[in-house]
Amino acid sequence: MIVMAQKPFDAQTEHTKQVKKFPFISIYEPLDSIPLKSILDITYSTIGERALHIDIFQPATTKGKLPVLVMVHGGGWNAGDKTLEHPIAKAMAQQGMATVCVEYRKSQEALYPAAIQDVKCALRWVRHEADKYQLDTTDITIMGESAGGQIAALIGASNKDKDEFSSELYSEHSSKVNRVIDVDGVLCFIHPDSAEGQDKPGKPSAATLWFGKTYREGTALWDSASALYRVNEESADFLFINSSIPRFSAGQAQTICRLRAYGKNVEEKKTIDTPHTFWLFEPWAPSVVEWISDYLLKR
């Protein structure tokens, strides 16, 4: 395994980076319009001595089971944490959802497909604990941004209970999802429009670090993580939300064609003149919340 020191990835660090080009931006924080119940750092899985955790946000007062939005953070598979999801998670919880922010093992700890296995385990945990946390297991959406979007898209495109991403924990429960919201997450690692796998001397790409092999060394492995090649009759519906940077939608047109050929509902939203991490900042994050709300709650 190749392990390299990684730069921190959080909203403040990213703001410092992006404000140079976008001086008008500020870190997004939702209004506290509705009281919320926050349940933080729930252990959903333990691998050896490594515990993996979930944060849940939901309305403080609920009258029944809540639709679920499982959220997967970005950070190049090697950085970031579940708190990156908190602002949008809180905003969606204020609109009557249970939002579930997932921690997963990053490339320094375990190579692909460990992160996929972790998030699928979290989905089964949601069903296992549904009664305790008032979760509607018939209405589960998975959402992710950047690397988290890639993870969400791969899980939702495959959408099978028995595959190489399965594990025994909570195996009596399904890991299937109804919908995917992919925010600038790669759909095809090797594609003419993609920039994944562009290693430099002494500086392997984030994807190479995650797979533990270059594309030439592990072509089948890289392709196995590409949602484009996983689309099938069991795939979920999709909402794509993109920045204005073309490489993050590489393979999206082909993926959409395949999804629609199987009769899946697909919607697209695109921001204009935005950085890759637009969902973290005003003035774009409120539009992202509105698009998610329209997609999930106004069907």
Side-chain angles (χ1 to χ4, degrees):
M1 181 189 299
I2 306 169
V3 178
M4 299 184 67
Q6 301 300 323
K7 296 179 181 179
F9 178 61
D10 55 49
Q12 186 59 61
T13 302
E14 189 65 13
H15 180 269
T16 300
K17 174 183 174 182
Q18 298 297 343
V19 75
K20 298 172 185 177
K21 183 176 180 180
F22 303 95
F24 52 86
I25 65 173
S26 59
I27 296 172
Y28 172 66
E29 284 293 339
L31 299 174
D32 295 327
S33 56
I34 296 175
L36 296 179
K37 178 167 60 175
S38 305
I39 314 158
L40 305 180
D41 290 322
I42 308 162
T43 299
Y44 75 88
S45 175
T46 303
I47 302 161
E49 297 183 355
R50 171 67 156 104
L52 294 169
H53 303 92
I54 276 173
D55 296 339
I56 297 178
F57 299 93
Q58 55 189 209
T61 303
T62 59
K63 296 182 180 179
K65 291 193 173 183
L66 301 169
V68 182
L69 178 62
V70 174
M71 306 182 71
V72 189
H73 71 83
W77 308 281
N78 59 47
D81 62 52
K82 57 186 169 58
T83 62
L84 283 163
E85 301 302 292
H86 285 187
I88 290 179
K90 291 175 182 177
M92 294 309 301
Q94 289 174 4
Q95 298 191 47
M97 300 199 73
T99 50
V100 179
C101 307
V102 180
E103 177 186 24
Y104 57 88
R105 287 172 291 169
K106 297 187 278 290
S107 59
Q108 302 94 316
E109 298 181 75
L111 301 178
Y112 168 86
I116 316 301
Q117 294 166 342
D118 294 344
V119 177
K120 286 193 65 136
C121 181
L123 286 163
R124 295 193 300 273
W125 178 92
V126 164
R127 289 186 164 92
H128 184 76
E129 299 290 345
D131 290 340
K132 180 177 180 180
Y133 296 105
Q134 295 178 283
L135 308 177
D136 183 354
T137 61
T138 69
D139 193 352
I140 298 178
T141 301
I142 186 169
M143 170 181 168
E145 306 89 4
S146 192
Q150 178 272 327
I151 293 170
L154 178 60
I155 289 172
S158 177
N159 220 25
K160 296 181 183 296
D161 287 322
K162 299 296 182 182
D163 55 24
E164 69 268 39
F165 308 128
S166 303
S167 61
E168 292 302 314
L169 189 59
Y170 315 119
S171 60
E172 69 275 21
H173 297 288
S174 174
S175 60
K176 291 186 176 182
V177 298
N178 301 92
R179 285 160 234 96
V180 174
I181 301 174
D182 178 6
V183 183
D184 245 16
V186 63
L187 296 160
C188 185
F189 278 91
I190 302 301
H191 186 279
D193 298 331
S194 175
E196 302 298 333
Q198 294 186 1
D199 302 326
K200 298 178 181 179
K203 188 179 180 181
S205 69
T208 297
L209 289 171
W210 192 43
F211 291 115
K213 297 180 179 180
T214 66
Y215 181 65
R216 289 185 178 181
E217 294 169 335
T219 302
L221 192 68
W222 285 55
D223 286 346
S224 75
S226 298
L228 171 61
Y229 303 129
R230 294 283 187 159
V231 175
N232 67 91
E233 65 278 359
E234 297 184 59
S235 296
D237 294 333
F238 270 72
L239 167 64
F240 295 101
I241 303 177
N242 292 111
S243 70
S244 57
I245 303 172
R247 71 183 182 90
F248 291 106
S249 55
Q252 187 166 305
Q254 296 97 318
T255 303
I256 289 172
C257 286
R258 293 188 180 191
L259 287 165
R260 286 177 173 160
Y262 282 107
K264 307 303 175 180
N265 178 57
V266 183
E267 298 184 25
E268 298 176 82
K269 299 292 183 182
K270 190 175 184 67
T271 56
I272 305 298
D273 191 25
T274 52
H276 172 49
T277 51
F278 64 94
W279 65 88
L280 294 173
F281 305 119
E282 299 267 9
W284 307 296
S287 294
V288 174
V289 170
E290 182 178 356
W291 290 334
I292 297 168
S293 178
D294 287 347
Y295 182 63
L296 296 182
L297 302 176
K298 299 179 182 179
R299 297 190 304 276

PDB file of all heavy atoms in Angstrom, residues 172-191:
ATOM      1  N   GLU A 172     -28.739  -9.754   7.056  1.00  0.00           N
ATOM      2  CA  GLU A 172     -30.167 -10.050   6.900  1.00  0.00           C
ATOM      3  C   GLU A 172     -30.935  -8.867   6.311  1.00  0.00           C
ATOM      4  O   GLU A 172     -32.109  -9.009   5.950  1.00  0.00           O
ATOM      5  CB  GLU A 172     -30.785 -10.451   8.242  1.00  0.00           C
ATOM      6  CG  GLU A 172     -30.902  -9.329   9.284  1.00  0.00           C
ATOM      7  CD  GLU A 172     -29.643  -9.114  10.115  1.00  0.00           C
ATOM      8  OE1 GLU A 172     -28.559  -9.519   9.681  1.00  0.00           O
ATOM      9  OE2 GLU A 172     -29.769  -8.506  11.207  1.00  0.00           O
ATOM     10  N   HIS A 173     -30.277  -7.730   6.186  1.00  0.00           N
ATOM     11  CA  HIS A 173     -30.927  -6.529   5.675  1.00  0.00           C
ATOM     12  C   HIS A 173     -30.368  -6.143   4.304  1.00  0.00           C
ATOM     13  O   HIS A 173     -29.220  -6.439   3.976  1.00  0.00           O
ATOM     14  CB  HIS A 173     -30.741  -5.360   6.638  1.00  0.00           C
ATOM     15  CG  HIS A 173     -31.378  -5.573   7.973  1.00  0.00           C
ATOM     16  ND1 HIS A 173     -32.738  -5.542   8.159  1.00  0.00           N
ATOM     17  CD2 HIS A 173     -30.819  -5.841   9.186  1.00  0.00           C
ATOM     18  CE1 HIS A 173     -33.012  -5.761   9.443  1.00  0.00           C
ATOM     19  NE2 HIS A 173     -31.876  -5.945  10.083  1.00  0.00           N
ATOM     20  N   SER A 174     -31.190  -5.440   3.531  1.00  0.00           N
ATOM     21  CA  SER A 174     -30.797  -4.990   2.200  1.00  0.00           C
ATOM     22  C   SER A 174     -29.951  -3.714   2.277  1.00  0.00           C
ATOM     23  O   SER A 174     -30.087  -2.913   3.209  1.00  0.00           O
ATOM     24  CB  SER A 174     -32.047  -4.722   1.357  1.00  0.00           C
ATOM     25  OG  SER A 174     -31.705  -4.154   0.112  1.00  0.00           O
ATOM     26  N   SER A 175     -29.102  -3.549   1.283  1.00  0.00           N
ATOM     27  CA  SER A 175     -28.335  -2.305   1.142  1.00  0.00           C
ATOM     28  C   SER A 175     -28.803  -1.498  -0.067  1.00  0.00           C
ATOM     29  O   SER A 175     -28.141  -0.550  -0.472  1.00  0.00           O
ATOM     30  CB  SER A 175     -26.839  -2.618   0.998  1.00  0.00           C
ATOM     31  OG  SER A 175     -26.608  -3.426  -0.141  1.00  0.00           O
ATOM     32  N   LYS A 176     -29.941  -1.858  -0.634  1.00  0.00           N
ATOM     33  CA  LYS A 176     -30.425  -1.167  -1.825  1.00  0.00           C
ATOM     34  C   LYS A 176     -30.938   0.230  -1.485  1.00  0.00           C
ATOM     35  O   LYS A 176     -31.388   0.496  -0.368  1.00  0.00           O
ATOM     36  CB  LYS A 176     -31.529  -1.978  -2.502  1.00  0.00           C
ATOM     37  CG  LYS A 176     -31.030  -3.263  -3.145  1.00  0.00           C
ATOM     38  CD  LYS A 176     -32.137  -3.948  -3.937  1.00  0.00           C
ATOM     39  CE  LYS A 176     -31.609  -5.184  -4.654  1.00  0.00           C
ATOM     40  NZ  LYS A 176     -32.663  -5.834  -5.469  1.00  0.00           N
ATOM     41  N   VAL A 177     -30.878   1.109  -2.482  1.00  0.00           N
ATOM     42  CA  VAL A 177     -31.368   2.470  -2.319  1.00  0.00           C
ATOM     43  C   VAL A 177     -32.387   2.773  -3.414  1.00  0.00           C
ATOM     44  O   VAL A 177     -32.384   2.147  -4.472  1.00  0.00           O
ATOM     45  CB  VAL A 177     -30.214   3.496  -2.376  1.00  0.00           C
ATOM     46  CG1 VAL A 177     -29.240   3.256  -1.231  1.00  0.00           C
ATOM     47  CG2 VAL A 177     -29.493   3.458  -3.715  1.00  0.00           C
ATOM     48  N   ASN A 178     -33.251   3.730  -3.132  1.00  0.00           N
ATOM     49  CA  ASN A 178     -34.248   4.155  -4.122  1.00  0.00           C
ATOM     50  C   ASN A 178     -33.674   5.161  -5.108  1.00  0.00           C
ATOM     51  O   ASN A 178     -34.044   5.149  -6.290  1.00  0.00           O
ATOM     52  CB  ASN A 178     -35.455   4.779  -3.423  1.00  0.00           C
ATOM     53  CG  ASN A 178     -36.117   3.829  -2.452  1.00  0.00           C
ATOM     54  OD1 ASN A 178     -35.766   3.826  -1.276  1.00  0.00           O
ATOM     55  ND2 ASN A 178     -37.034   3.013  -2.921  1.00  0.00           N
ATOM     56  N   ARG A 179     -32.755   6.009  -4.605  1.00  0.00           N
ATOM     57  CA  ARG A 179     -32.258   7.116  -5.410  1.00  0.00           C
ATOM     58  C   ARG A 179     -30.811   7.419  -5.064  1.00  0.00           C
ATOM     59  O   ARG A 179     -30.364   7.131  -3.950  1.00  0.00           O
ATOM     60  CB  ARG A 179     -33.075   8.388  -5.140  1.00  0.00           C
ATOM     61  CG  ARG A 179     -34.449   8.407  -5.755  1.00  0.00           C
ATOM     62  CD  ARG A 179     -35.344   9.438  -5.057  1.00  0.00           C
ATOM     63  NE  ARG A 179     -36.566   8.777  -4.626  1.00  0.00           N
ATOM     64  CZ  ARG A 179     -36.777   8.304  -3.417  1.00  0.00           C
ATOM     65  NH1 ARG A 179     -35.853   8.446  -2.473  1.00  0.00           N
ATOM     66  NH2 ARG A 179     -37.902   7.695  -3.140  1.00  0.00           N
ATOM     67  N   VAL A 180     -30.136   8.046  -6.022  1.00  0.00           N
ATOM     68  CA  VAL A 180     -28.772   8.532  -5.831  1.00  0.00           C
ATOM     69  C   VAL A 180     -28.737  10.019  -6.176  1.00  0.00           C
ATOM     70  O   VAL A 180     -29.328  10.440  -7.173  1.00  0.00           O
ATOM     71  CB  VAL A 180     -27.773   7.792  -6.749  1.00  0.00           C
ATOM     72  CG1 VAL A 180     -26.379   8.413  -6.627  1.00  0.00           C
ATOM     73  CG2 VAL A 180     -27.726   6.310  -6.440  1.00  0.00           C
ATOM     74  N   ILE A 181     -28.054  10.790  -5.342  1.00  0.00           N
ATOM     75  CA  ILE A 181     -27.730  12.173  -5.683  1.00  0.00           C
ATOM     76  C   ILE A 181     -26.215  12.259  -5.764  1.00  0.00           C
ATOM     77  O   ILE A 181     -25.517  12.146  -4.755  1.00  0.00           O
ATOM     78  CB  ILE A 181     -28.284  13.173  -4.651  1.00  0.00           C
ATOM     79  CG1 ILE A 181     -29.803  13.042  -4.538  1.00  0.00           C
ATOM     80  CG2 ILE A 181     -27.897  14.599  -5.035  1.00  0.00           C
ATOM     81  CD1 ILE A 181     -30.427  13.893  -3.443  1.00  0.00           C
ATOM     82  N   ASP A 182     -25.715  12.417  -6.957  1.00  0.00           N
ATOM     83  CA  ASP A 182     -24.274  12.452  -7.215  1.00  0.00           C
ATOM     84  C   ASP A 182     -23.864  13.894  -7.489  1.00  0.00           C
ATOM     85  O   ASP A 182     -24.239  14.471  -8.512  1.00  0.00           O
ATOM     86  CB  ASP A 182     -23.933  11.550  -8.398  1.00  0.00           C
ATOM     87  CG  ASP A 182     -22.447  11.582  -8.755  1.00  0.00           C
ATOM     88  OD1 ASP A 182     -21.671  12.213  -8.019  1.00  0.00           O
ATOM     89  OD2 ASP A 182     -22.080  10.978  -9.784  1.00  0.00           O
ATOM     90  N   VAL A 183     -23.104  14.464  -6.561  1.00  0.00           N
ATOM     91  CA  VAL A 183     -22.647  15.844  -6.691  1.00  0.00           C
ATOM     92  C   VAL A 183     -21.173  15.816  -7.120  1.00  0.00           C
ATOM     93  O   VAL A 183     -20.278  15.597  -6.310  1.00  0.00           O
ATOM     94  CB  VAL A 183     -22.811  16.618  -5.367  1.00  0.00           C
ATOM     95  CG1 VAL A 183     -22.407  18.081  -5.551  1.00  0.00           C
ATOM     96  CG2 VAL A 183     -24.246  16.520  -4.854  1.00  0.00           C
ATOM     97  N   ASP A 184     -20.950  15.977  -8.408  1.00  0.00           N
ATOM     98  CA  ASP A 184     -19.593  16.066  -8.960  1.00  0.00           C
ATOM     99  C   ASP A 184     -18.734  14.840  -8.631  1.00  0.00           C
ATOM    100  O   ASP A 184     -17.529  14.959  -8.420  1.00  0.00           O
ATOM    101  CB  ASP A 184     -18.894  17.337  -8.467  1.00  0.00           C
ATOM    102  CG  ASP A 184     -18.595  18.307  -9.609  1.00  0.00           C
ATOM    103  OD1 ASP A 184     -19.180  18.152 -10.698  1.00  0.00           O
ATOM    104  OD2 ASP A 184     -17.778  19.222  -9.408  1.00  0.00           O
ATOM    105  N   GLY A 185     -19.361  13.675  -8.576  1.00  0.00           N
ATOM    106  CA  GLY A 185     -18.621  12.446  -8.321  1.00  0.00           C
ATOM    107  C   GLY A 185     -18.321  11.710  -9.617  1.00  0.00           C
ATOM    108  O   GLY A 185     -19.192  11.576 -10.480  1.00  0.00           O
ATOM    109  N   VAL A 186     -17.098  11.222  -9.752  1.00  0.00           N
ATOM    110  CA  VAL A 186     -16.670  10.589 -10.994  1.00  0.00           C
ATOM    111  C   VAL A 186     -17.480   9.316 -11.265  1.00  0.00           C
ATOM    112  O   VAL A 186     -17.778   8.544 -10.360  1.00  0.00           O
ATOM    113  CB  VAL A 186     -15.159  10.287 -10.944  1.00  0.00           C
ATOM    114  CG1 VAL A 186     -14.822   9.289  -9.840  1.00  0.00           C
ATOM    115  CG2 VAL A 186     -14.668   9.780 -12.280  1.00  0.00           C
ATOM    116  N   LEU A 187     -17.832   9.127 -12.527  1.00  0.00           N
ATOM    117  CA  LEU A 187     -18.627   7.968 -12.949  1.00  0.00           C
ATOM    118  C   LEU A 187     -17.808   6.975 -13.751  1.00  0.00           C
ATOM    119  O   LEU A 187     -18.195   5.823 -13.895  1.00  0.00           O
ATOM    120  CB  LEU A 187     -19.824   8.440 -13.788  1.00  0.00           C
ATOM    121  CG  LEU A 187     -20.823   9.299 -13.015  1.00  0.00           C
ATOM    122  CD1 LEU A 187     -21.666  10.116 -13.966  1.00  0.00           C
ATOM    123  CD2 LEU A 187     -21.700   8.421 -12.143  1.00  0.00           C
ATOM    124  N   CYS A 188     -16.691   7.427 -14.288  1.00  0.00           N
ATOM    125  CA  CYS A 188     -15.820   6.564 -15.075  1.00  0.00           C
ATOM    126  C   CYS A 188     -14.381   7.028 -14.857  1.00  0.00           C
ATOM    127  O   CYS A 188     -14.037   8.148 -15.230  1.00  0.00           O
ATOM    128  CB  CYS A 188     -16.201   6.620 -16.557  1.00  0.00           C
ATOM    129  SG  CYS A 188     -15.274   5.469 -17.580  1.00  0.00           S
ATOM    130  N   PHE A 189     -13.577   6.187 -14.242  1.00  0.00           N
ATOM    131  CA  PHE A 189     -12.232   6.611 -13.872  1.00  0.00           C
ATOM    132  C   PHE A 189     -11.343   6.868 -15.082  1.00  0.00           C
ATOM    133  O   PHE A 189     -10.533   7.784 -15.085  1.00  0.00           O
ATOM    134  CB  PHE A 189     -11.591   5.572 -12.948  1.00  0.00           C
ATOM    135  CG  PHE A 189     -12.027   5.725 -11.517  1.00  0.00           C
ATOM    136  CD1 PHE A 189     -13.141   5.046 -11.040  1.00  0.00           C
ATOM    137  CD2 PHE A 189     -11.343   6.566 -10.664  1.00  0.00           C
ATOM    138  CE1 PHE A 189     -13.547   5.193  -9.728  1.00  0.00           C
ATOM    139  CE2 PHE A 189     -11.750   6.731  -9.347  1.00  0.00           C
ATOM    140  CZ  PHE A 189     -12.855   6.036  -8.877  1.00  0.00           C
ATOM    141  N   ILE A 190     -11.471   6.029 -16.095  1.00  0.00           N
ATOM    142  CA  ILE A 190     -10.654   6.213 -17.286  1.00  0.00           C
ATOM    143  C   ILE A 190     -11.577   6.584 -18.437  1.00  0.00           C
ATOM    144  O   ILE A 190     -12.370   5.777 -18.920  1.00  0.00           O
ATOM    145  CB  ILE A 190      -9.854   4.946 -17.622  1.00  0.00           C
ATOM    146  CG1 ILE A 190      -8.973   4.564 -16.432  1.00  0.00           C
ATOM    147  CG2 ILE A 190      -9.018   5.160 -18.865  1.00  0.00           C
ATOM    148  CD1 ILE A 190      -7.982   5.632 -15.994  1.00  0.00           C
ATOM    149  N   HIS A 191     -11.499   7.830 -18.852  1.00  0.00           N
ATOM    150  CA  HIS A 191     -12.431   8.397 -19.824  1.00  0.00           C
ATOM    151  C   HIS A 191     -11.719   9.580 -20.482  1.00  0.00           C
ATOM    152  O   HIS A 191     -10.910  10.265 -19.839  1.00  0.00           O
ATOM    153  CB  HIS A 191     -13.704   8.850 -19.101  1.00  0.00           C
ATOM    154  CG  HIS A 191     -14.795   9.319 -19.999  1.00  0.00           C
ATOM    155  ND1 HIS A 191     -14.826  10.596 -20.532  1.00  0.00           N
ATOM    156  CD2 HIS A 191     -15.919   8.679 -20.455  1.00  0.00           C
ATOM    157  CE1 HIS A 191     -15.918  10.715 -21.277  1.00  0.00           C
ATOM    158  NE2 HIS A 191     -16.584   9.580 -21.251  1.00  0.00           N
TER     159      HIS A 191
END
